[in-house]
């Protein structure tokens, strides 16, 4: 497994965020409203075109995470406070969603 996408710890920070410590020692703190806005499920992303069906900024920052469950050894499923729960977030997706990783990628490329 890639150390950058292999979590060694996943835990909820209350209902506000998900904290992940990766094998390469990087830490991601992902607000649940941000994860909800970037849900990869078929209701949120057009399966044919790949177009996101949720507009950026349309999910209120009050949306929290009620429950986080591991899906095998590759993903998590999240139950959000708006009752949405159909997205499966692969570890690679979670690392790519990390805001500081996006900044690092921009700076390097």
């Amino acid at each position: 497994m890639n150390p950058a996408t292999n979590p060694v710890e996943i835990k909820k920070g209350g209902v506000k965020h998900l904290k992940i410590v990766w094998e390469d020692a990087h830490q991601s703190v992902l607000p649940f409203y941000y994860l909800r806005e970037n849900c990869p499920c078929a209701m949120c992303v057009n399966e044919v075109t790949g177009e996101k069906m949720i507009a950026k900024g349309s999910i209120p920052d009050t949306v929290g995470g009620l429950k986080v469950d591991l899906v095998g050894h590759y993903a998590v499923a999240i139950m959000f406070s708006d009752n949405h729960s159909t997205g499966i977030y692969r570890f690679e997706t979670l690392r790519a969603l990390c805001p500081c990783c996006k900044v690092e990628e921009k700076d390097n490329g």
Side-chain angles (χ1 to χ4, degrees), residues 39-96:
C39 180
C41 82
M43 290 175 28
C44 298
V45 177
N46 184 304
E47 291 182 280
V48 176
T49 65
E51 177 186 0
K52 291 176 82 173
M53 307 303 285
I54 299 173
K56 185 174 177 147
S58 66
I59 301 295
D61 64 3
T62 55
V63 169
L66 302 178
K67 186 175 179 188
V68 177
D69 292 314
L70 283 174
V71 177
H73 295 286
Y74 68 94
V76 295
I78 302 170
M79 165 60 93
F80 294 97
S81 61
D82 66 354
N83 293 317
H84 187 77
S85 63
T86 56
I88 295 175
Y89 295 78
R90 298 181 63 86
F91 296 150
E92 293 86 358
T93 300
L94 292 169
R95 181 66 183 247

Side-chain angles (χ1 to χ4, degrees), residues 3-20:
T5 58
N6 189 32
V8 293
E9 180 180 48
I10 301 172
K11 66 180 183 178
K12 284 178 57 194
V15 296
K16 292 290 186 188
H17 65 268
L18 183 66
K19 180 180 178 185
I20 305 171

